[in-house]
Amino acid sequence: MAGSIDEQAVMAQVKQGAAGQYLQELFESIRSKCYEKCVTRPSSSLSSSEQKCLANCCDRYVEATAVVSQAVMSHVAKQGGM
């Protein structure tokens, strides 16, 4: 029983680490892609159009990522899980 609890704790830590890594990679990807698309002339502040573009870009990127993630999870579930 103690081995099972230790194993569960390790698995929880691994899952938490993987989730943190995923979020960091998602943030970096959004930041680089949306910045490249929306910020035409870097300066000390963003114009209102750049702010709006960045907000829309981030929203679309998160929505697209959610759709892709759901499709992958659905496919994995149909294949019998991981």
Side-chain angles (χ1 to χ4, degrees):
M1 183 88 146
S4 177
I5 292 172
D6 289 343
E7 192 174 301
Q8 289 175 353
V10 168
M11 286 303 294
Q13 286 179 333
V14 168
K15 286 180 182 178
Q16 186 176 17
Q21 181 67 30
Y22 171 78
L23 288 175
Q24 183 153 354
E25 288 176 12
L26 177 64
F27 173 77
E28 284 298 316
S29 183
I30 290 172
R31 187 183 62 78
S32 66
K33 290 180 188 326
C34 292
Y35 183 88
E36 185 176 303
K37 178 182 186 281
C38 296
V39 179
T40 55
R41 283 189 268 155
S43 67
S44 61
S45 64
L46 297 171
S47 70
S48 61
S49 62
E50 289 171 332
Q51 290 176 12
K52 189 172 190 173
C53 179
L54 285 167
N56 289 334
C57 180
C58 290
D59 289 345
R60 299 297 84 75
Y61 199 92
V62 170
E63 288 173 5
T65 300
V67 168
V68 170
S69 295
Q70 185 63 38
V72 168
M73 295 304 285
S74 177
H75 179 73
V76 168
K78 287 179 184 176
Q79 297 298 320
M82 288 187 7

